[in-house]
Amino acid sequence: MPTEPLPDVPPASAEVIEIERALTRITYLATRARQHERLMALAGVPLDRAAVALLRQIADSEPLRPGELAQRLGVEASHVTRTVQQLQRSGYVTRVPDPDDRRAQRIELTDAGREAVARVREAGARGMQRALSDWQPAELRQLAGLFHRMVDDFLAYAVDDESGQKADARTTTA
């Protein structure tokens, strides 16, 4: 499948290059298998990374159809179907009728699923708190604000890139 050429955009500034490098390092650190296993052990949740990502997405939105979950996660629908089956067998999610179309189903967290997400988030936040313990509260607020702004801009760019029109990311996120 041929790749389209990059749009006519000026070269990245030194600051953007450094941000990209830092994000690459963060992504590497956050997605290491050993880090995930440690986090799951601390949280007491025996799930793989794909299942945790799906649980988090469900927790951050209303019950969604599997296809909607796949779109939000940027994965194939069959991948979501397999992961939902795993989570359903483990008691973390359940299927509920779609109120708009009774033939369709939406995926919803169970009480055990909500508890698992809370434990994973708590374990992750505690680790982050330890790593950032020397930061001042004002620095942490500034970093959080900048991260949210960056994610909103990335989402707006992704919408622009996919549909040819730019949308306000603050109204398109769940």
Side-chain angles (χ1 to χ4, degrees):
M1 181 167 157
T3 307
E4 292 187 27
L6 289 174
D8 190 20
V9 178
S13 68
E15 295 84 2
V16 169
I17 291 168
E18 284 306 309
I19 291 167
E20 190 277 335
R21 289 180 64 207
L23 285 175
T24 299
R25 292 177 64 204
I26 289 170
T27 301
Y28 170 75
L29 291 171
T31 60
R32 288 186 351 217
R34 189 178 314 174
Q35 177 66 18
H36 175 79
E37 290 166 8
R38 183 173 179 269
L39 178 63
M40 292 305 101
L42 289 171
V45 178
L47 295 173
D48 63 28
R49 288 179 277 187
V52 172
L54 189 60
L55 276 182
R56 284 178 180 256
Q57 180 60 58
I58 297 167
D60 290 342
S61 62
E62 70 281 355
L64 297 170
R65 291 180 182 188
E68 293 169 318
L69 287 166
Q71 183 179 10
R72 289 189 182 198
L73 292 170
V75 299
E76 296 294 323
S78 60
H79 174 76
V80 167
T81 299
R82 283 189 303 272
T83 305
V84 165
Q85 289 169 348
Q86 170 195 351
L87 291 170
Q88 196 171 10
R89 281 191 303 270
S90 300
Y92 293 118
V93 301
T94 188
R95 294 174 188 268
V96 295
D98 186 327
D100 300 328
D101 180 355
R102 290 287 178 179
R103 296 170 297 171
Q105 294 182 327
R106 293 179 182 234
I107 309 305
E108 181 177 79
L109 290 180
T110 62
D111 289 341
R114 280 186 283 284
E115 184 181 321
V117 169
R119 288 196 320 256
V120 168
R121 287 182 171 159
E122 176 65 21
R126 285 177 180 244
M128 192 171 289
Q129 179 67 46
R130 280 196 344 245
L132 301 175
S133 64
D134 291 337
W135 289 49
Q136 296 299 312
E139 293 172 314
L140 294 172
R141 279 190 298 277
Q142 181 181 18
L143 180 63
L146 290 170
F147 270 144
H148 284 293
R149 180 178 168 192
M150 183 178 67
V151 169
D152 288 344
D153 288 346
F154 282 0
L155 289 171
Y157 173 80
V159 168
D160 181 34
D161 204 34
E162 292 171 8
S163 70
Q165 66 185 99
K166 189 159 183 144
D168 183 354
R170 288 160 201 68
T171 61
T172 60
T173 58

